[in-house]
Amino acid sequence: MIKSASQLTLQSILKLDAVTCAAMGALLALASAPVAALTQIGAPLLFWAGLFLFPVAGFMFACAQMRRVPMWATGLVVVGNGLWVLVSLALPLAGLIAPNALGWLFLVGQAVVVLMITAQEWRAVQRQPLAT
């Protein structure tokens, strides 16, 4: 039987977050030039953002392997994801980058996915006791 998103364990959601983080990191780091050409978001920004995501994904995956995820680790993931969403939207709104329509779709789309995963992580935290 397949569990609904509200029944997934924190560890399962962290694994999903780690996989999507690593996949986005690979896309941004390995294809920064083509993505930049499509989105009008600078290739160096995309490349370095992609590289940044690899250790983040590793941290999430390591946390997902723990029987009880420490509260500080879960908090770090949730806050980090929130900052990712905030920066993704703040950069173009502040005029620091000027994406085209596809770039906006890319930024908003990935921000929504990160926000959805973060919401599931937060719900899972509320359902299970965590180590301190």
Side-chain angles (χ1 to χ4, degrees), residues 26-108:
L27 172 70
L28 295 178
L30 299 174
S32 57
V35 173
L38 290 172
T39 63
Q40 294 302 298
I41 299 170
L45 174 63
L46 295 171
F47 175 78
W48 290 107
L51 285 186
F52 171 78
L53 290 175
F54 290 122
V56 172
F59 177 76
M60 290 175 182
F61 189 75
C63 289
Q65 303 309 306
M66 298 176 182
R67 182 174 171 175
R68 295 185 70 190
V69 182
M71 179 80 94
W72 67 265
T74 305
L76 188 60
V77 169
V78 168
V79 168
N81 282 347
L83 287 172
W84 180 270
V85 169
L86 180 66
V87 170
S88 294
L89 302 176
L91 287 174
L93 290 173
L96 298 174
I97 62 173
N100 60 18
L102 189 56
W104 272 102
L105 184 62
F106 178 76
L107 289 170
V108 171

Side-chain angles (χ1 to χ4, degrees), residues 2-22:
I2 298 175
K3 292 183 178 184
S4 73
S6 64
Q7 296 173 320
L8 292 174
T9 65
L10 177 59
Q11 289 82 353
S12 297
I13 300 164
L14 284 169
K15 285 178 190 171
L16 172 65
D17 202 352
V19 167
T20 59
C21 193

